[in-house]
Amino acid sequence: MPWDEAGMYALTRHTGAMPLPQQAPAHNRPGAAPSQYERHGAWVVVARGAYDMDSITPLAEALDAAVRKYPKVILDASGITFADSTLLNLLILTHQAGALRVVAPSPQLQRLCEITGVDSILETRNSVEDAAVS
């Protein structure tokens, strides 16, 4: 029997083994719409959860709309559980477009900002109240 027929038999015969499970899509989680409200003339955007290139859109849209309409935008980042360079880029772009204050960044986000040097350009505050009046 030629080698290709022998190889084909080995690839197509039933061995009794369980088939491999289908791999789940890598990032199939839609970004949740952030909650938003006005505080002392500033617009507050409250972000919760993980942000990467597959989940950033709702937050990006909220910050973009806010920076176009309000003189000061506050991002409550206390509920962010994961962030990568996608969120850092969004924060820099929002900062360049208007007055952005980041409130209570999570330890992971704070460390990411420190490592990349973004903490030197962003204004952070401990509370929404502090950010709104500063």
Side-chain angles (χ1 to χ4, degrees):
M1 160 179 352
W3 71 270
D4 56 340
E5 288 178 17
M8 183 58 74
Y9 173 75
L11 293 174
T12 59
R13 74 172 186 234
H14 180 58
T15 63
M18 296 295 293
L20 293 174
Q22 291 289 333
Q23 186 171 352
H27 297 297
N28 194 15
R29 59 179 190 264
S35 58
Q36 304 176 56
Y37 61 94
E38 189 173 3
R39 183 71 175 187
H40 298 298
W43 193 250
V44 181
V45 178
V46 182
R48 301 276 181 255
Y51 291 96
D52 60 19
M53 65 188 267
D54 294 321
S55 61
I56 198 75
T57 302
L59 181 59
E61 290 171 349
L63 289 173
D64 181 56
V67 80
R68 290 173 190 263
K69 187 173 180 181
Y70 290 88
K72 187 186 304 179
V73 176
I74 300 167
L75 173 64
D76 180 346
S78 61
I80 295 176
T81 57
F82 173 81
D84 66 7
S85 61
T86 309
L87 179 64
L88 288 180
N89 186 50
L90 176 60
L91 295 178
I92 292 167
L93 291 173
T94 305
H95 168 76
Q96 290 173 342
L100 174 67
R101 307 283 192 277
V102 179
V103 171
S106 65
Q108 190 267 337
L109 178 56
Q110 191 170 3
R111 180 70 177 136
L112 184 61
C113 289
E114 289 170 0
I115 289 170
T116 59
V118 172
D119 64 329
S120 66
I121 63 168
L122 294 179
E123 293 188 42
T124 60
R125 301 289 188 271
N126 293 325
S127 70
V128 170
E129 190 67 28
D130 288 344
V133 297
S134 66

